[in-house]
Amino acid sequence: MSYPYQIKSLEEYQNAHQKSVDHPEEFWAGIADNFKWHKKWDSVLDWNFNEPKVEWFKGGKLNITENCLDRWVETQPDTPAIIWEANDPTEKDKTLTYKELHFKVCQFANVLKNNGAKKGDRICIYMSMVPELAIAVLACARIGAIHSVVFGGFSAQSISDRIQDAQCNIVITADGAYRGNKDIPLKSIIDEALVTCPSIQKVIVLTRTGIPVSMIEGRDCWWEEEIKKVEEQGNAFCAAEIMDAEDMLFILYTSGSTGKPKGVVHTCGGYMVWTNYTFINVFQYQKGQVHFCTADIGWITGHSYIIYGPLSAGATTLMFEGIPTWPDAGRFWDIVNKYKVDILYTAPTAIRSLMAFGNDHIEGKNLSSLKVLGTVGEPINEEAWHWYDEHIGKKNSPIVDTWWQTETGGVLISNLAGVTKAKPSFATLPMPGVQPLLVDENGKEIVGNNVSGNLCIKFPWPGMLRTTYGDHERCRATYFSTYNNLYFTGDGCLRDGDGDYRITGRVDDVLNVSGHRIGTAEVENAINMHTGVVESAIVGYPHDIKGQGIYAFVILNGIHTDENHTKKDICQTVAKIIGAIAKPDKIQFVSGLPKTRSGKIMRRILRKIAEGEIHNLGDTSTLLDPSVVDEIKMNRL
Ligand code: WT7
């Protein structure tokens, strides 16, 4: 089977893009016709960016799981839907065909119902990369409950914040998780989080590692026992809840430049169309191929390109529980070899780290099944791009550099594999439906080529966020108020002489560390929780593997004799409040921070010092006390 809307040439791409601009409603109605709807929409698009209001396919009735499961059970029941590779390479892998996955999703949907879940409930999922994570996500979607997946590396405090914000009533977790040579006690982290979460009524716990856990009578139950109950009830099938296209599908929390993370909301219809359309076109997916996206389902990349995009296309999606460097740095290549992976989608940070381990780990691994390579999450440097191209793709697999965000639902700017040209370190061209533009600080459009500016999008696309959960004003203020009538991405961008786009990185106070988005204010707040800290300022600096590292300037109260001990303690505090991913790489103790007379920290100066550009700090005359800069420069790490 081929996909009617798969773009096959540069000319077809240009025509599709042009049509999506000239006649967006007609264009997207045509794409949306390829899905299973219980009722077609009343209107294709209704929008204004000032509120903001964005509605796609409103009045259309569907369930995304019928598009990801039921329709493939009819036509290809025995095609593998999920292939799962365990953390430990000696543990047996698992395959779930479409028929089997459908059965398990229905079964677990009934478990949720037995535990009181209903349409519109928010359900928090805190698990590692086991097949049951995908089953849990799809089971929520099946019954119309809104899933909020929290990445397994987040701390109890972070989980608690997210559960409280969304007022979840159920948590789905596991006793523990395997990650490389570590065992993570998921359930005990959940127990700690739930002390401050009165909205939670049920906790469903999968057995994975077998470590002892405490179960609270009446609140906690075992996944396996609940499945048995459903088996005894004999009602394994679960009819899909009929959803409006604009009903919420999920919430996913992401960091911004201020305060606590926001719950980005995606809805059923537009998100389904967008993830499917971009999956099929960007990766040029062909029936029967194995797609290996190495992200965790705790991030948007996993939602869109492990679960919803591939499954809605009837593809085989590979889930990997472990990490790229365990038991050794050849693990990805073993997996590609073992399952004859066709499409590999990973992050620049993983590529750089594996590159640093040397090419011995590739030798003897058959990578000839690979047809398309992808990258996502941060700008890819040319060296890493070429290494990926030569040593993994053997100069025979197009690389797609896919730029997008949690808020965009799926890829917005990317070349199409083998169809439009690739250019190292450039995401290149917008997907059909995407109208990017560059603006200067005053919001004036920068026209022409060979220009740089702030990247905005001027027209809605089906996969965009609709709101931030529980706080629509925050959504407006964050994305739609910087520039009139535009969605602002927070990224800086260059458009070269060919009109190709290159994303240069965030222009706000957001860091991108190993492809993870980290807000500087969030890390500062966490550091300031340490009793010995008076004040702190966080900036990013270039890091060979992580892309950006976290540099912390910290003012301590009193005298700390053992500075290294205090540094460790501060890192512990950050790990406790946010999670290990936000630990600073460098901590410099300072006696003051460069501030303006109005008390604003001049991060520009700190950024330059962290980057090592100490001779060209620009204008420091507006500083309250310019002498602190000399001290900071002198003691730079
Ligand atoms: C930010 C979004 C998209 C899923 C993973 C991250 C950066 C993402 C690229 C790319 C340069 C990229 C941007 C963006 N980013 N992809 N191909 N080239 N930068 O999702 O956590 O929402 O982060 O990641 O800065 O704004 P996220």
Side-chain angles (χ1 to χ4, degrees):
M1 178 185 154
S2 65
Y3 298 92
Y5 43 85
Q6 190 168 56
I7 294 163
K8 286 284 160 213
S9 65
L10 176 62
E11 200 193 346
E12 277 183 32
Y13 160 75
Q14 286 163 336
N15 290 339
H17 194 272
Q18 195 59 48
K19 183 169 177 196
S20 77
V21 173
D22 295 341
H23 307 286
E25 299 201 12
E26 194 189 312
F27 180 81
W28 287 111
I31 304 293
D33 263 336
N34 295 285
F35 296 81
K36 184 176 155 76
W37 298 86
H38 285 265
K39 174 184 164 285
K40 287 280 167 75
W41 46 89
D42 300 325
S43 63
V44 178
L45 172 64
D46 193 4
W47 72 290
N48 78 68
F49 275 175
N50 292 319
E51 291 184 36
K53 173 170 94 173
V54 175
E55 291 175 342
W56 283 94
F57 314 115
K58 180 107 173 148
K61 303 294 175 192
L62 79 158
N63 186 292
I64 195 169
T65 69
E66 290 186 321
N67 285 278
C68 289
L69 301 171
D70 301 60
R71 63 170 170 162
W72 306 122
V73 173
E74 281 165 28
T75 58
Q76 47 172 58
D78 301 322
T79 300
I82 295 178
I83 297 176
W84 176 74
E85 167 80 1
N87 177 61
D88 181 340
T90 63
E91 183 177 337
K92 204 179 153 2
D93 51 63
K94 285 184 190 163
T95 296
L96 292 172
T97 64
Y98 272 92
K99 200 167 134 200
E100 290 163 339
L101 181 60
H102 177 268
F103 178 79
K104 284 185 182 288
V105 168
C106 282
Q107 235 186 1
F108 193 67
N110 281 318
V111 167
L112 291 175
K113 282 184 166 177
N114 284 345
N115 281 281
K118 48 186 197 313
K119 179 176 176 179
D121 286 353
R122 279 79 55 215
I123 298 185
C124 173
I125 304 179
Y126 185 66
M127 294 171 94
S128 63
M129 287 285 286
V130 287
E132 288 81 1
L133 167 54
I135 291 167
V137 164
L138 291 163
C140 287
R142 188 78 176 173
I143 64 168
I146 300 161
H147 55 78
S148 168
V149 182
V150 176
F151 172 60
F154 278 118
S155 67
Q157 180 68 53
S158 295
I159 301 165
S160 169
D161 290 346
R162 287 158 173 75
I163 289 176
Q164 290 184 59
D165 186 75
Q167 287 293 295
C168 299
N169 58 348
I170 297 178
V171 175
I172 307 169
T173 188
D175 51 358
Y178 296 124
R179 246 180 100 74
N181 57 11
K182 289 201 193 92
D183 288 8
I184 299 144
L186 296 180
K187 174 62 164 66
S188 83
I189 298 171
I190 283 290
D191 288 339
E192 194 187 330
L194 293 193
V195 173
T196 45
C197 299
S199 61
I200 294 295
Q201 272 145 20
K202 291 280 173 193
V203 181
I204 303 171
V205 187
L206 176 82
T207 307
R208 174 63 186 127
T209 62
I211 50 157
V213 297
S214 63
M215 299 290 276
I216 293 183
E217 179 96 42
R219 187 195 72 177
D220 302 354
C221 57
W222 290 102
W223 176 296
E224 297 77 11
E225 285 173 15
E226 295 303 299
I227 291 284
K228 258 198 212 114
K229 286 184 199 161
V230 170
E231 279 169 357
E232 281 157 16
Q233 289 164 345
N235 59 346
F237 180 73
C238 174
E241 187 76 31
I242 307 300
M243 308 293 283
D244 192 278
E246 279 300 328
D247 281 341
M248 287 187 198
L249 174 63
F250 68 86
I251 306 170
L252 188 59
Y253 284 84
T254 189
S255 296
S257 50
T258 51
K260 60 179 172 86
K262 339 173 238 305
V264 167
V265 170
H266 286 287
T267 54
C268 297
Y271 177 82
M272 169 182 76
V273 169
W274 191 250
T275 52
N276 179 273
Y277 182 77
T278 52
F279 173 72
I280 286 167
N281 281 295
V282 170
F283 301 106
Q284 288 291 302
Y285 169 73
Q286 305 295 321
K287 213 73 188 160
Q289 290 186 334
V290 177
H291 174 75
F292 178 20
C293 167
T294 71
D296 191 289
I297 289 172
W299 309 110
I300 190 69
T301 309
H303 281 60
S304 301
Y305 299 110
I306 296 178
I307 298 184
Y308 290 113
L311 295 180
S312 67
T316 298
T317 185
L318 200 156
M319 266 180 91
F320 171 41
E321 185 184 34
I323 57 171
T325 50
W326 193 83
D328 63 46
R331 193 68 196 278
F332 279 180
W333 322 128
D334 290 330
I335 294 173
V336 170
N337 188 348
K338 179 172 172 189
Y339 300 102
K340 300 192 170 50
V341 169
D342 295 276
I343 306 168
L344 174 68
Y345 190 29
T346 193
T349 187
I351 297 168
R352 287 191 298 264
S353 130
L354 297 177
M355 184 170 92
F357 277 98
N359 298 341
D360 293 356
H361 294 283
I362 307 168
E363 261 159 46
K365 319 271 164 88
N366 186 350
L367 306 183
S368 64
S369 59
L370 287 172
K371 293 174 191 70
V372 173
L373 303 177
T375 79
V376 62
E378 50 177 317
I380 182 162
N381 49 310
E382 292 202 28
E383 194 193 354
W385 194 98
H386 285 294
W387 182 84
Y388 200 30
D389 184 38
E390 275 166 39
H391 297 281
I392 307 308
K394 319 287 181 195
K395 288 197 164 279
N396 213 0
S397 306
I399 297 176
V400 287
D401 178 349
T402 65
W403 173 83
W404 56 295
Q405 310 176 298
T406 304
E407 295 84 347
T408 71
V411 176
L412 289 204
I413 303 182
S414 175
N415 52 314
L416 310 181
V419 170
T420 64
K421 73 177 182 321
K423 193 185 272 188
S425 83
F426 280 76
T428 72
L429 297 173
M431 294 299 295
V434 176
Q435 301 185 39
L437 83 171
L438 304 181
V439 297
D440 65 18
E441 282 109 71
N442 305 316
K444 199 168 159 299
E445 179 168 1
I446 303 169
V447 294
N449 286 345
N450 281 317
V451 290
S452 303
N454 290 345
L455 179 62
C456 294
I457 316 287
K458 70 174 169 200
F459 195 85
W461 62 98
M464 74 187 294
L465 88 163
R466 301 299 195 263
T467 188
T468 47
Y469 192 82
D471 192 351
H472 194 60
E473 167 54 21
R474 191 161 179 210
C475 173
R476 190 196 65 81
T478 309
Y479 307 105
F480 299 93
S481 73
T482 317
Y483 304 112
N484 186 35
N485 241 333
L486 298 173
Y487 168 81
F488 177 42
T489 65
D491 280 317
C493 181
L494 171 152
R495 186 168 51 222
D496 76 357
D498 298 331
D500 286 323
Y501 291 88
R502 173 191 197 155
I503 314 303
T504 48
R506 304 287 304 197
V507 294
D508 51 8
D509 289 326
V510 170
L511 307 184
N512 191 326
V513 180
S514 300
H516 300 316
R517 198 203 288 199
I518 295 175
T520 51
E522 234 185 307
V523 182
E524 287 164 5
N525 291 343
I527 291 179
N528 298 348
M529 298 292 276
H530 187 281
T531 49
V533 171
V534 177
E535 198 182 1
S536 61
I538 294 291
V539 295
Y541 71 95
H543 187 289
D544 284 349
I545 305 287
K546 298 181 176 186
Q548 270 188 311
I550 302 179
Y551 197 124
F553 298 90
V554 176
I555 306 174
L556 296 176
N557 59 20
I559 298 147
H560 291 246
T561 41
D562 189 344
E563 290 206 341
N564 280 331
H565 184 83
T566 310
K567 283 183 186 179
K568 266 199 200 126
D569 247 24
I570 290 174
C571 285
Q572 278 304 311
T573 307
V574 174
K576 185 120 186 99
I577 307 271
I578 305 176
I581 53 170
K583 277 193 210 170
D585 298 279
K586 293 182 179 180
I587 299 177
Q588 179 180 346
F589 295 126
V590 297
S591 65
L593 292 165
K595 288 189 178 172
T596 62
R597 289 192 182 86
S598 61
K600 236 182 107 196
I601 297 173
M602 288 189 72
R603 288 165 189 287
R604 176 177 59 78
I605 291 175
L606 293 175
R607 226 174 274 134
K608 287 213 161 160
I609 294 173
E611 285 165 8
E613 248 191 80
I614 51 173
H615 299 297
N616 185 18
L617 293 181
D619 184 13
T620 54
S621 63
T622 55
L623 284 177
L624 189 61
D625 175 12
S627 73
V628 295
V629 174
D630 295 328
E631 177 215 296
I632 297 175
K633 272 196 321 203
M634 212 162 66
N635 299 327
R636 183 181 162 264
L637 300 172

